[in-house]
PDB file of all heavy atoms in Angstrom:
ATOM      1  N   ILE A 175     -91.372  55.807 -63.548  1.00 94.00           N
ATOM      2  CA  ILE A 175     -91.173  54.367 -63.692  1.00 94.00           C
ATOM      3  C   ILE A 175     -92.334  53.795 -64.501  1.00 94.00           C
ATOM      4  O   ILE A 175     -93.498  54.063 -64.214  1.00 94.00           O
ATOM      5  CB  ILE A 175     -91.095  53.673 -62.316  1.00 94.00           C
ATOM      6  CG1 ILE A 175     -89.891  54.175 -61.531  1.00 94.00           C
ATOM      7  CG2 ILE A 175     -91.042  52.159 -62.474  1.00 94.00           C
ATOM      8  CD1 ILE A 175     -88.542  53.831 -62.138  1.00 94.00           C
ATOM      9  N   ASP A 176     -92.000  53.020 -65.532  1.00 94.00           N
ATOM     10  CA  ASP A 176     -93.043  52.392 -66.344  1.00 94.00           C
ATOM     11  C   ASP A 176     -93.864  51.421 -65.497  1.00 94.00           C
ATOM     12  O   ASP A 176     -93.351  50.816 -64.554  1.00 94.00           O
ATOM     13  CB  ASP A 176     -92.421  51.632 -67.520  1.00 94.00           C
ATOM     14  CG  ASP A 176     -91.730  52.565 -68.501  1.00 94.00           C
ATOM     15  OD1 ASP A 176     -92.042  53.769 -68.489  1.00 94.00           O
ATOM     16  OD2 ASP A 176     -90.857  52.081 -69.247  1.00 94.00           O
ATOM     17  N   VAL A 177     -95.118  51.246 -65.864  1.00 94.00           N
ATOM     18  CA  VAL A 177     -96.017  50.366 -65.113  1.00 94.00           C
ATOM     19  C   VAL A 177     -95.440  48.961 -64.980  1.00 94.00           C
ATOM     20  O   VAL A 177     -95.545  48.325 -63.931  1.00 94.00           O
ATOM     21  CB  VAL A 177     -97.406  50.307 -65.790  1.00 94.00           C
ATOM     22  CG1 VAL A 177     -98.298  49.287 -65.110  1.00 94.00           C
ATOM     23  CG2 VAL A 177     -98.063  51.675 -65.780  1.00 94.00           C
ATOM     24  N   ALA A 178     -94.798  48.488 -66.041  1.00 90.00           N
ATOM     25  CA  ALA A 178     -94.256  47.122 -66.027  1.00 90.00           C
ATOM     26  C   ALA A 178     -93.173  46.936 -64.973  1.00 90.00           C
ATOM     27  O   ALA A 178     -92.888  45.802 -64.568  1.00 90.00           O
ATOM     28  CB  ALA A 178     -93.699  46.772 -67.406  1.00 90.00           C
ATOM     29  N   HIS A 179     -92.571  48.033 -64.509  1.00 90.00           N
ATOM     30  CA  HIS A 179     -91.473  47.941 -63.538  1.00 90.00           C
ATOM     31  C   HIS A 179     -91.894  48.372 -62.135  1.00 90.00           C
ATOM     32  O   HIS A 179     -91.047  48.469 -61.249  1.00 90.00           O
ATOM     33  CB  HIS A 179     -90.295  48.808 -63.998  1.00 90.00           C
ATOM     34  CG  HIS A 179     -89.659  48.335 -65.269  1.00 90.00           C
ATOM     35  ND1 HIS A 179     -88.738  47.309 -65.310  1.00 90.00           N
ATOM     36  CD2 HIS A 179     -89.822  48.747 -66.550  1.00 90.00           C
ATOM     37  CE1 HIS A 179     -88.357  47.109 -66.553  1.00 90.00           C
ATOM     38  NE2 HIS A 179     -88.998  47.969 -67.333  1.00 90.00           N
ATOM     39  N   ARG A 180     -93.193  48.615 -61.928  1.00 92.00           N
ATOM     40  CA  ARG A 180     -93.660  49.032 -60.604  1.00 92.00           C
ATOM     41  C   ARG A 180     -94.124  47.831 -59.783  1.00 92.00           C
ATOM     42  O   ARG A 180     -94.688  46.883 -60.345  1.00 92.00           O
ATOM     43  CB  ARG A 180     -94.821  50.022 -60.727  1.00 92.00           C
ATOM     44  CG  ARG A 180     -94.496  51.299 -61.469  1.00 92.00           C
ATOM     45  CD  ARG A 180     -95.754  52.151 -61.618  1.00 92.00           C
ATOM     46  NE  ARG A 180     -95.599  53.115 -62.706  1.00 92.00           N
ATOM     47  CZ  ARG A 180     -96.607  53.810 -63.233  1.00 92.00           C
ATOM     48  NH1 ARG A 180     -97.848  53.610 -62.803  1.00 92.00           N
ATOM     49  NH2 ARG A 180     -96.372  54.661 -64.216  1.00 92.00           N
ATOM     50  N   PRO A 181     -93.936  47.879 -58.454  1.00 89.00           N
ATOM     51  CA  PRO A 181     -94.516  46.833 -57.606  1.00 89.00           C
ATOM     52  C   PRO A 181     -96.036  46.871 -57.710  1.00 89.00           C
ATOM     53  O   PRO A 181     -96.633  47.928 -57.975  1.00 89.00           O
ATOM     54  CB  PRO A 181     -94.043  47.215 -56.191  1.00 89.00           C
ATOM     55  CG  PRO A 181     -92.871  48.108 -56.404  1.00 89.00           C
ATOM     56  CD  PRO A 181     -93.121  48.838 -57.687  1.00 89.00           C
ATOM     57  N   SER A 182     -96.668  45.742 -57.505  1.00 87.00           N
ATOM     58  CA  SER A 182     -98.118  45.632 -57.704  1.00 87.00           C
ATOM     59  C   SER A 182     -98.898  46.594 -56.824  1.00 87.00           C
ATOM     60  O   SER A 182     -99.955  47.089 -57.227  1.00 87.00           O
ATOM     61  CB  SER A 182     -98.569  44.192 -57.427  1.00 87.00           C
ATOM     62  OG  SER A 182     -98.209  43.796 -56.110  1.00 87.00           O
ATOM     63  N   GLN A 183     -98.371  46.894 -55.638  1.00 90.00           N
ATOM     64  CA  GLN A 183     -99.112  47.793 -54.741  1.00 90.00           C
ATOM     65  C   GLN A 183     -98.957  49.260 -55.105  1.00 90.00           C
ATOM     66  O   GLN A 183     -99.590  50.122 -54.511  1.00 90.00           O
ATOM     67  CB  GLN A 183     -98.671  47.580 -53.281  1.00 90.00           C
ATOM     68  CG  GLN A 183     -97.232  47.949 -52.965  1.00 90.00           C
ATOM     69  CD  GLN A 183     -96.275  46.791 -53.158  1.00 90.00           C
ATOM     70  OE1 GLN A 183     -96.444  46.001 -54.077  1.00 90.00           O
ATOM     71  NE2 GLN A 183     -95.285  46.692 -52.290  1.00 90.00           N
ATOM     72  N   TYR A 184     -98.114  49.556 -56.107  1.00 92.00           N
ATOM     73  CA  TYR A 184     -97.888  50.954 -56.492  1.00 92.00           C
ATOM     74  C   TYR A 184     -98.197  51.192 -57.969  1.00 92.00           C
ATOM     75  O   TYR A 184     -97.651  52.103 -58.589  1.00 92.00           O
ATOM     76  CB  TYR A 184     -96.436  51.364 -56.207  1.00 92.00           C
ATOM     77  CG  TYR A 184     -96.080  51.347 -54.737  1.00 92.00           C
ATOM     78  CD1 TYR A 184     -95.270  50.349 -54.208  1.00 92.00           C
ATOM     79  CD2 TYR A 184     -96.555  52.339 -53.873  1.00 92.00           C
ATOM     80  CE1 TYR A 184     -94.942  50.331 -52.858  1.00 92.00           C
ATOM     81  CE2 TYR A 184     -96.233  52.327 -52.531  1.00 92.00           C
ATOM     82  CZ  TYR A 184     -95.425  51.322 -52.027  1.00 92.00           C
ATOM     83  OH  TYR A 184     -95.106  51.311 -50.689  1.00 92.00           O
ATOM     84  N   LEU A 185     -99.085  50.409 -58.540  1.00 92.00           N
ATOM     85  CA  LEU A 185     -99.398  50.567 -59.957  1.00 92.00           C
ATOM     86  C   LEU A 185    -100.044  51.906 -60.264  1.00 92.00           C
ATOM     87  O   LEU A 185     -99.978  52.391 -61.403  1.00 92.00           O
ATOM     88  CB  LEU A 185    -100.315  49.425 -60.416  1.00 92.00           C
ATOM     89  CG  LEU A 185     -99.710  48.020 -60.405  1.00 92.00           C
ATOM     90  CD1 LEU A 185    -100.742  46.993 -60.847  1.00 92.00           C
ATOM     91  CD2 LEU A 185     -98.470  47.963 -61.297  1.00 92.00           C
ATOM     92  N   ASP A 186    -100.687  52.523 -59.258  1.00 92.00           N
ATOM     93  CA  ASP A 186    -101.357  53.799 -59.487  1.00 92.00           C
ATOM     94  C   ASP A 186    -100.441  54.992 -59.237  1.00 92.00           C
ATOM     95  O   ASP A 186    -100.885  56.139 -59.266  1.00 92.00           O
ATOM     96  CB  ASP A 186    -102.600  53.905 -58.596  1.00 92.00           C
ATOM     97  CG  ASP A 186    -102.247  53.833 -57.115  1.00 92.00           C
ATOM     98  OD1 ASP A 186    -101.143  53.333 -56.788  1.00 92.00           O
ATOM     99  OD2 ASP A 186    -103.066  54.258 -56.287  1.00 92.00           O
ATOM    100  N   GLN A 187     -99.162  54.741 -58.997  1.00 93.00           N
ATOM    101  CA  GLN A 187     -98.186  55.813 -58.777  1.00 93.00           C
ATOM    102  C   GLN A 187     -97.283  55.945 -60.000  1.00 93.00           C
ATOM    103  O   GLN A 187     -96.955  54.941 -60.635  1.00 93.00           O
ATOM    104  CB  GLN A 187     -97.337  55.521 -57.535  1.00 93.00           C
ATOM    105  CG  GLN A 187     -98.137  55.325 -56.258  1.00 93.00           C
ATOM    106  CD  GLN A 187     -98.826  56.598 -55.802  1.00 93.00           C
ATOM    107  OE1 GLN A 187     -98.308  57.687 -55.980  1.00 93.00           O
ATOM    108  NE2 GLN A 187    -100.022  56.443 -55.238  1.00 93.00           N
ATOM    109  N   ALA A 188     -96.887  57.177 -60.301  1.00 91.00           N
ATOM    110  CA  ALA A 188     -96.094  57.378 -61.513  1.00 91.00           C
ATOM    111  C   ALA A 188     -94.648  57.764 -61.229  1.00 91.00           C
ATOM    112  O   ALA A 188     -93.744  57.407 -61.981  1.00 91.00           O
ATOM    113  CB  ALA A 188     -96.726  58.465 -62.384  1.00 91.00           C
ATOM    114  N   THR A 189     -94.395  58.501 -60.146  1.00 95.00           N
ATOM    115  CA  THR A 189     -93.040  58.985 -59.871  1.00 95.00           C
ATOM    116  C   THR A 189     -92.592  58.529 -58.483  1.00 95.00           C
ATOM    117  O   THR A 189     -93.377  58.511 -57.535  1.00 95.00           O
ATOM    118  CB  THR A 189     -92.960  60.511 -59.970  1.00 95.00           C
ATOM    119  OG1 THR A 189     -93.940  61.102 -59.102  1.00 95.00           O
ATOM    120  CG2 THR A 189     -93.207  60.975 -61.399  1.00 95.00           C
ATOM    121  N   PHE A 190     -91.296  58.225 -58.392  1.00 96.00           N
ATOM    122  CA  PHE A 190     -90.722  57.646 -57.184  1.00 96.00           C
ATOM    123  C   PHE A 190     -89.401  58.340 -56.853  1.00 96.00           C
ATOM    124  O   PHE A 190     -88.783  58.976 -57.715  1.00 96.00           O
ATOM    125  CB  PHE A 190     -90.493  56.148 -57.384  1.00 96.00           C
ATOM    126  CG  PHE A 190     -91.731  55.369 -57.718  1.00 96.00           C
ATOM    127  CD1 PHE A 190     -92.266  55.382 -59.009  1.00 96.00           C
ATOM    128  CD2 PHE A 190     -92.384  54.613 -56.753  1.00 96.00           C
ATOM    129  CE1 PHE A 190     -93.405  54.655 -59.319  1.00 96.00           C
ATOM    130  CE2 PHE A 190     -93.531  53.893 -57.046  1.00 96.00           C
ATOM    131  CZ  PHE A 190     -94.043  53.918 -58.329  1.00 96.00           C
ATOM    132  N   HIS A 191     -88.966  58.196 -55.605  1.00 96.00           N
ATOM    133  CA  HIS A 191     -87.670  58.752 -55.227  1.00 96.00           C
ATOM    134  C   HIS A 191     -86.568  58.097 -56.061  1.00 96.00           C
ATOM    135  O   HIS A 191     -86.479  56.860 -56.117  1.00 96.00           O
ATOM    136  CB  HIS A 191     -87.391  58.498 -53.739  1.00 96.00           C
ATOM    137  CG  HIS A 191     -88.089  59.451 -52.822  1.00 96.00           C
ATOM    138  ND1 HIS A 191     -87.673  60.751 -52.651  1.00 96.00           N
ATOM    139  CD2 HIS A 191     -89.169  59.280 -52.016  1.00 96.00           C
ATOM    140  CE1 HIS A 191     -88.462  61.351 -51.774  1.00 96.00           C
ATOM    141  NE2 HIS A 191     -89.393  60.493 -51.381  1.00 96.00           N
ATOM    142  N   PRO A 192     -85.709  58.893 -56.713  1.00 96.00           N
ATOM    143  CA  PRO A 192     -84.610  58.314 -57.497  1.00 96.00           C
ATOM    144  C   PRO A 192     -83.460  57.898 -56.576  1.00 96.00           C
ATOM    145  O   PRO A 192     -82.442  58.589 -56.460  1.00 96.00           O
ATOM    146  CB  PRO A 192     -84.204  59.468 -58.423  1.00 96.00           C
ATOM    147  CG  PRO A 192     -84.533  60.699 -57.625  1.00 96.00           C
ATOM    148  CD  PRO A 192     -85.761  60.360 -56.812  1.00 96.00           C
ATOM    149  N   ALA A 193     -83.610  56.760 -55.935  1.00 95.00           N
ATOM    150  CA  ALA A 193     -82.606  56.307 -54.962  1.00 95.00           C
ATOM    151  C   ALA A 193     -81.232  56.176 -55.607  1.00 95.00           C
ATOM    152  O   ALA A 193     -80.212  56.441 -54.964  1.00 95.00           O
ATOM    153  CB  ALA A 193     -83.047  54.977 -54.349  1.00 95.00           C
ATOM    154  N   PHE A 194     -81.189  55.774 -56.871  1.00 95.00           N
ATOM    155  CA  PHE A 194     -79.905  55.634 -57.552  1.00 95.00           C
ATOM    156  C   PHE A 194     -79.186  56.984 -57.622  1.00 95.00           C
ATOM    157  O   PHE A 194     -77.958  57.068 -57.455  1.00 95.00           O
ATOM    158  CB  PHE A 194     -80.108  55.065 -58.966  1.00 95.00           C
ATOM    159  CG  PHE A 194     -80.487  56.097 -59.986  1.00 95.00           C
ATOM    160  CD1 PHE A 194     -79.531  56.748 -60.744  1.00 95.00           C
ATOM    161  CD2 PHE A 194     -81.833  56.450 -60.165  1.00 95.00           C
ATOM    162  CE1 PHE A 194     -79.893  57.711 -61.681  1.00 95.00           C
ATOM    163  CE2 PHE A 194     -82.197  57.405 -61.090  1.00 95.00           C
ATOM    164  CZ  PHE A 194     -81.222  58.043 -61.853  1.00 95.00           C
ATOM    165  N   LEU A 195     -79.946  58.058 -57.867  1.00 96.00           N
ATOM    166  CA  LEU A 195     -79.361  59.385 -57.977  1.00 96.00           C
ATOM    167  C   LEU A 195     -78.906  59.893 -56.614  1.00 96.00           C
ATOM    168  O   LEU A 195     -77.841  60.507 -56.490  1.00 96.00           O
ATOM    169  CB  LEU A 195     -80.374  60.357 -58.588  1.00 96.00           C
ATOM    170  CG  LEU A 195     -79.905  61.798 -58.785  1.00 96.00           C
ATOM    171  CD1 LEU A 195     -78.685  61.845 -59.705  1.00 96.00           C
ATOM    172  CD2 LEU A 195     -81.035  62.654 -59.348  1.00 96.00           C
ATOM    173  N   TYR A 196     -79.692  59.630 -55.580  1.00 97.00           N
ATOM    174  CA  TYR A 196     -79.291  60.019 -54.225  1.00 97.00           C
ATOM    175  C   TYR A 196     -77.950  59.380 -53.864  1.00 97.00           C
ATOM    176  O   TYR A 196     -77.053  60.033 -53.326  1.00 97.00           O
ATOM    177  CB  TYR A 196     -80.353  59.597 -53.205  1.00 97.00           C
ATOM    178  CG  TYR A 196     -81.696  60.259 -53.356  1.00 97.00           C
ATOM    179  CD1 TYR A 196     -82.825  59.710 -52.756  1.00 97.00           C
ATOM    180  CD2 TYR A 196     -81.861  61.427 -54.098  1.00 97.00           C
ATOM    181  CE1 TYR A 196     -84.071  60.307 -52.874  1.00 97.00           C
ATOM    182  CE2 TYR A 196     -83.104  62.031 -54.230  1.00 97.00           C
ATOM    183  CZ  TYR A 196     -84.210  61.461 -53.618  1.00 97.00           C
ATOM    184  OH  TYR A 196     -85.444  62.053 -53.744  1.00 97.00           O
ATOM    185  N   GLU A 197     -77.838  58.083 -54.149  1.00 96.00           N
ATOM    186  CA  GLU A 197     -76.594  57.392 -53.792  1.00 96.00           C
ATOM    187  C   GLU A 197     -75.428  57.874 -54.643  1.00 96.00           C
ATOM    188  O   GLU A 197     -74.300  58.001 -54.160  1.00 96.00           O
ATOM    189  CB  GLU A 197     -76.762  55.879 -53.936  1.00 96.00           C
ATOM    190  CG  GLU A 197     -75.578  55.122 -53.388  1.00 96.00           C
ATOM    191  CD  GLU A 197     -75.836  53.633 -53.213  1.00 96.00           C
ATOM    192  OE1 GLU A 197     -76.985  53.253 -52.925  1.00 96.00           O
ATOM    193  OE2 GLU A 197     -74.871  52.854 -53.353  1.00 96.00           O
ATOM    194  N   CYS A 198     -75.683  58.150 -55.903  1.00 97.00           N
ATOM    195  CA  CYS A 198     -74.634  58.688 -56.782  1.00 97.00           C
ATOM    196  C   CYS A 198     -74.093  60.000 -56.228  1.00 97.00           C
ATOM    197  O   CYS A 198     -72.873  60.177 -56.078  1.00 97.00           O
ATOM    198  CB  CYS A 198     -75.182  58.874 -58.193  1.00 97.00           C
ATOM    199  SG  CYS A 198     -74.041  59.712 -59.321  1.00 97.00           S
ATOM    200  N   LEU A 199     -74.980  60.924 -55.900  1.00 98.00           N
ATOM    201  CA  LEU A 199     -74.554  62.230 -55.392  1.00 98.00           C
ATOM    202  C   LEU A 199     -73.883  62.103 -54.028  1.00 98.00           C
ATOM    203  O   LEU A 199     -72.900  62.799 -53.739  1.00 98.00           O
ATOM    204  CB  LEU A 199     -75.758  63.176 -55.317  1.00 98.00           C
ATOM    205  CG  LEU A 199     -76.410  63.517 -56.663  1.00 98.00           C
ATOM    206  CD1 LEU A 199     -77.643  64.383 -56.454  1.00 98.00           C
ATOM    207  CD2 LEU A 199     -75.416  64.229 -57.578  1.00 98.00           C
ATOM    208  N   TRP A 200     -74.423  61.230 -53.181  1.00 98.00           N
ATOM    209  CA  TRP A 200     -73.816  61.017 -51.860  1.00 98.00           C
ATOM    210  C   TRP A 200     -72.384  60.493 -52.003  1.00 98.00           C
ATOM    211  O   TRP A 200     -71.462  60.969 -51.334  1.00 98.00           O
ATOM    212  CB  TRP A 200     -74.663  60.038 -51.050  1.00 98.00           C
ATOM    213  CG  TRP A 200     -74.083  59.744 -49.690  1.00 98.00           C
ATOM    214  CD1 TRP A 200     -73.134  58.811 -49.400  1.00 98.00           C
ATOM    215  CD2 TRP A 200     -74.386  60.405 -48.459  1.00 98.00           C
ATOM    216  NE1 TRP A 200     -72.835  58.843 -48.062  1.00 98.00           N
ATOM    217  CE2 TRP A 200     -73.589  59.808 -47.462  1.00 98.00           C
ATOM    218  CE3 TRP A 200     -75.259  61.428 -48.107  1.00 98.00           C
ATOM    219  CZ2 TRP A 200     -73.633  60.216 -46.120  1.00 98.00           C
ATOM    220  CZ3 TRP A 200     -75.316  61.827 -46.773  1.00 98.00           C
ATOM    221  CH2 TRP A 200     -74.510  61.229 -45.805  1.00 98.00           C
ATOM    222  N   ASN A 201     -72.195  59.530 -52.882  1.00 98.00           N
ATOM    223  CA  ASN A 201     -70.864  58.941 -53.068  1.00 98.00           C
ATOM    224  C   ASN A 201     -69.867  59.959 -53.612  1.00 98.00           C
ATOM    225  O   ASN A 201     -68.703  59.978 -53.203  1.00 98.00           O
ATOM    226  CB  ASN A 201     -70.946  57.742 -54.007  1.00 98.00           C
ATOM    227  CG  ASN A 201     -71.614  56.546 -53.366  1.00 98.00           C
ATOM    228  OD1 ASN A 201     -71.839  56.517 -52.164  1.00 98.00           O
ATOM    229  ND2 ASN A 201     -71.945  55.554 -54.171  1.00 98.00           N
ATOM    230  N   LEU A 202     -70.309  60.804 -54.526  1.00 98.00           N
ATOM    231  CA  LEU A 202     -69.406  61.822 -55.071  1.00 98.00           C
ATOM    232  C   LEU A 202     -69.039  62.852 -54.005  1.00 98.00           C
ATOM    233  O   LEU A 202     -67.885  63.304 -53.932  1.00 98.00           O
ATOM    234  CB  LEU A 202     -70.049  62.503 -56.278  1.00 98.00           C
ATOM    235  CG  LEU A 202     -70.238  61.614 -57.514  1.00 98.00           C
ATOM    236  CD1 LEU A 202     -70.945  62.389 -58.622  1.00 98.00           C
ATOM    237  CD2 LEU A 202     -68.896  61.076 -58.008  1.00 98.00           C
ATOM    238  N   ALA A 203     -70.004  63.215 -53.161  1.00 98.00           N
ATOM    239  CA  ALA A 203     -69.712  64.147 -52.062  1.00 98.00           C
ATOM    240  C   ALA A 203     -68.753  63.506 -51.066  1.00 98.00           C
ATOM    241  O   ALA A 203     -67.822  64.160 -50.567  1.00 98.00           O
ATOM    242  CB  ALA A 203     -71.013  64.561 -51.372  1.00 98.00           C
ATOM    243  N   ALA A 204     -68.964  62.213 -50.767  1.00 98.00           N
ATOM    244  CA  ALA A 204     -68.069  61.498 -49.854  1.00 98.00           C
ATOM    245  C   ALA A 204     -66.662  61.412 -50.441  1.00 98.00           C
ATOM    246  O   ALA A 204     -65.660  61.551 -49.721  1.00 98.00           O
ATOM    247  CB  ALA A 204     -68.616  60.105 -49.576  1.00 98.00           C
TER     248      ALA A 204
END
Side-chain angles (χ1 to χ4, degrees):
I175 297 295
D176 295 340
V177 174
H179 295 279
R180 300 176 200 167
S182 57
Q183 65 270 37
Y184 296 107
L185 294 179
D186 61 340
Q187 303 293 326
T189 55
F190 301 78
H191 280 285
F194 83 92
L195 181 59
Y196 296 162
E197 188 167 328
C198 173
L199 296 176
W200 179 275
N201 288 349
L202 293 177

